[in-house]
């Protein structure tokens, strides 16, 4: 079994891209981005000919799906979250430090590994298919994403790396990076922002070892999907994973924002977790969403 959480826009407020609220995101379909001269940068995109885009040392043929502007491409590779003393770097290091100190493996080493240099160029399969996102889901629209072509795009979320990291054998990790969505620019939205995502997989022993008389408890069963669990998970397993998930994230938010934090959990929907939740914190008298999370779909783990 696995649990997943994702901090949305760092220091920004935004509804999640894959929620059913407003069919994905409330981005106007008439959204347009005007082209502009690229910012001088070693990472800026080159267009040696009209039908290819060169980005981060690779050339991508353009087609009817290509819609990335030079303005957006000029920001790829800046990696603000890895620039020492940048506010994003400071937040990332604060979260890393918390996880390194709070969650230690049997050999005294950090339980969670951190990946913050993964390429922002991903395949459509990585960004959507590997996460069980349906072909007709609103989050796939050209109006909402930056496509290099039909097969490659700028990642819309750090979840695009989830399947590959699990497949490599990892069972506890944090992924950090810049992500790209075609947003209308205002005081809470910008086409380039940052996410941090966490995943942890549990074995039967890890989940039940500290439970009294837990030897007879199981992770899996052949049951029915309900509002509270997947068909293949036992209720005991789901309750423990959900408790662990919420406890981990409450501790993290308290570490970031301080003691006395008011937290509430809201049931929601994501294609790759069930049950799924959003965490909101009380900030200056208003409830502000800070992350989405849930129990990872077992089909995704099995694949």
């Amino acid at each position: 079994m696995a649990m997943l959480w994702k901090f949305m826009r760092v220091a920004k407020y935004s509804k999640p891209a894959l929620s059913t609220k407003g069919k994905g995101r409330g981005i106007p379909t008439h959204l347009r981005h005007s082209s502009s001269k690229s910012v001088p940068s070693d990472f800026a995109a080159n267009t040696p000919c009209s039908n290819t885009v060169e980005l981060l040392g690779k050339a991508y043929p353009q087609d009817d799906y290509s819609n990335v502007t030079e303005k957006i491409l000029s920001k790829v590779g800046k990696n603000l979250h890895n620039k020492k003393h940048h506010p994003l770097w400071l937040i990332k290091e604060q979260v890393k430090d918390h996880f390194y100190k709070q969650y230690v493996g049997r050999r005294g080493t950090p339980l969670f590994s951190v990946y913050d240099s993964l390429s922002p160029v991903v395949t459509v399969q990585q960004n959507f298919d590997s996460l069980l996102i349906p072909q007709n889901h609103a989050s796939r629209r050209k109006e909402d994403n930056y496509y290099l072509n039909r097969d490659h795009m700028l990642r819309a979320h750090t979840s695009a790396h989830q399947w590959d990291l699990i497949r490599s054998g990892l069972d506890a990790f944090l992924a950090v990076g810049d992500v790209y969505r075609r947003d209308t620019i205002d005081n809470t939205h910008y086409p380039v922002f940052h996410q941090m995502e966490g995943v942890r997989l549990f074995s039967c022993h890890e989940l039940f070892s500290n439970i009294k008389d837990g030897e007879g408890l199981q992770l899996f069963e052949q049951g029915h999907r309900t509002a509270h669990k997947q068909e293949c998970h036992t209720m005991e397993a789901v309750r423990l994973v959900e408790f662990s998930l919420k406890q981990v994230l409450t501790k993290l938010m308290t570490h970031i924002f301080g003691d006395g934090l008011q937290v509430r959990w809201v049931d929601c929907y994501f294609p790759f977790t069930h049950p799924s939740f959003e965490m909101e914190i009380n900030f200056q008298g208003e409830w502000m969403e800070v992350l989405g999370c849930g129990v990872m779909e077992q089909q995704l783990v099995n694949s």
Side-chain angles (χ1 to χ4, degrees), residues 85-256:
H85 304 307
H86 188 280
L88 291 169
W89 178 87
L90 293 172
I91 296 174
K92 181 191 74 172
E93 292 301 309
Q94 190 175 13
V95 174
K96 281 173 56 179
D97 182 66
H98 173 76
F99 273 91
Y100 282 172
K101 291 178 178 177
Q102 289 289 321
Y103 306 100
V104 180
R106 286 175 293 181
R107 298 181 180 179
T109 56
L111 180 66
F112 285 83
S113 52
V114 178
Y115 297 86
D116 57 9
S117 299
L118 300 168
S119 174
V121 179
V122 297
T123 64
V124 172
Q125 193 276 337
Q126 287 175 301
N127 200 79
F128 296 120
D129 300 333
S130 71
L131 296 169
L132 312 178
I133 298 170
Q135 289 288 334
N136 60 350
H137 198 279
S139 64
R140 292 177 177 255
R141 297 183 307 176
K142 285 177 62 176
E143 292 84 358
D144 290 353
N145 299 283
Y146 288 108
Y147 285 92
L148 295 173
N149 52 43
R150 281 185 171 270
D151 298 319
H152 295 86
M153 62 187 297
L154 298 179
R155 63 188 169 204
H157 45 200
T158 48
S159 303
H161 304 290
Q162 192 182 110
W163 190 89
D164 292 308
L165 291 172
I166 293 174
R167 186 169 180 259
S168 72
L170 298 173
D171 56 14
F173 58 85
L174 304 176
V176 193
D178 43 327
V179 297
Y180 301 80
R181 295 182 194 161
R182 296 188 67 181
D183 270 342
T184 303
I185 298 175
D186 58 28
N187 64 339
T188 58
H189 295 82
Y190 193 73
V192 187
F193 57 102
H194 292 74
Q195 285 184 337
M196 175 177 280
E197 176 159 317
V199 170
R200 183 174 182 190
L201 277 63
F202 291 94
S203 66
C204 192
H205 172 74
E206 288 170 329
L207 197 57
F208 297 127
S209 60
N210 295 323
I211 304 300
K212 185 179 179 181
D213 302 323
E215 296 84 1
L217 298 177
Q218 299 295 323
L219 292 177
F220 304 111
E221 67 177 9
Q222 291 187 351
H224 301 282
R225 179 173 289 241
T226 70
H228 306 290
K229 62 181 283 298
Q230 298 173 38
E231 57 272 25
C232 58
H233 292 159
T234 64
M235 184 56 73
E236 294 83 3
V238 171
R239 284 175 175 170
L240 281 174
V241 170
E242 181 181 331
F243 174 79
S244 176
L245 175 64
K246 291 181 176 180
Q247 185 182 54
V248 165
L249 295 175
T250 300
K251 284 183 178 179
L252 175 62
M253 290 301 123
T254 300
H255 172 71
I256 293 176

Side-chain angles (χ1 to χ4, degrees), residues 39-41 43 74-83 178 180:
V39 176
S41 167
F43 300 100
S74 71
K75 299 184 182 297
V76 177
K78 290 187 177 294
N79 298 323
L80 300 180
H81 59 288
N82 288 333
K83 291 189 181 298
D178 43 327
Y180 301 80

